[in-house]
Amino acid sequence: LAGLDLPMAHWFGTAQGFALRDHWLWSKVLHEGARRVAWALQFMLLLAVWWPFGILRSLTRRQRAMMFVAAMACLVVVSTLKNMNSTSCPWDLAEFGGTARYVSHWDWGLSDGGVGRCFPAGHASAAFCFLPGYFWLRGQAPRAAGFWLAATLLAAFTIGLAQQVRGAHY
């Protein structure tokens, strides 16, 4: 909304593209690896509904189930929005070597001539989807809830930065 998406993309991209697009740290570790970790954590949350471990023992089965459902709902909503959006990734823009023209991702329905499906950022949401856990934990385990919140935000912003550096998202 502040109009900083394109100027920030220029921090990492040039007319030749994004130099770090395929760099092992940004691509393999913080993109592919982070996605695998997020799905593994989702699976652990699902298992914890019936077999709680650690701090999750302080929650009822219903709370653990709702924690899993909330995280999955976040992923489904973001994936649906992403599939409906026509905003292309920065690396698809003509000014970074692609073919699409810049259209703000807040202008829903306007095509930029590219492949789209680049907003909202799916990988950052793979971390942000764990945010609801904070609200279930804060009543029974406030200290653990604070750690959960900090870890979720750190992971989400790190993954978001990785995608920004690669030119995959604004």
Side-chain angles (χ1 to χ4, degrees):
L1 289 173
L4 296 175
D5 53 350
L6 190 57
M8 289 176 71
H10 280 282
W11 292 353
F12 306 104
T14 67
Q16 289 74 41
F18 289 81
L20 298 174
R21 178 176 178 169
D22 297 316
H23 186 275
W24 69 271
L25 174 64
W26 305 106
S27 179
K28 300 295 182 203
V29 176
L30 294 173
H31 176 247
E32 294 174 24
R35 181 181 55 224
R36 289 185 184 111
V37 168
W39 280 112
L41 291 173
Q42 279 291 83
F43 184 67
M44 290 173 61
L45 276 182
L46 177 61
L47 292 177
V49 171
W50 295 278
W51 302 288
F53 57 90
I55 200 64
L56 296 176
R57 288 188 193 119
S58 67
L59 302 176
T60 66
R61 178 173 290 177
R62 182 177 189 283
Q63 289 172 318
R64 293 188 307 268
M66 291 306 297
M67 196 169 168
F68 170 76
V69 168
M72 286 303 296
C74 290
L75 292 175
V76 168
V77 167
V78 167
S79 180
T80 301
L81 290 172
K82 188 174 181 157
N83 285 325
M84 293 171 40
N85 194 284
S86 58
T87 301
S88 295
C89 301
W91 62 36
D92 293 323
L93 299 181
E95 59 195 283
F96 298 115
T99 58
R101 64 178 173 43
Y102 174 77
V103 174
S104 172
H105 49 266
W106 298 109
D107 290 333
W108 287 80
L110 291 180
S111 176
D112 57 18
V115 295
R117 297 194 41 185
C118 218
F119 180 76
H123 283 77
S125 67
F128 277 124
C129 78
F130 294 102
L131 199 58
Y134 164 79
F135 298 99
W136 274 282
L137 288 170
R138 70 181 177 175
Q140 285 82 356
R143 186 174 173 165
F147 175 77
W148 187 282
L149 177 64
T152 299
L153 293 175
L154 178 64
F157 284 112
T158 301
I159 294 168
L161 174 64
Q163 292 298 79
Q164 174 91 28
V165 167
R166 296 180 63 235
H169 292 289
Y170 295 103

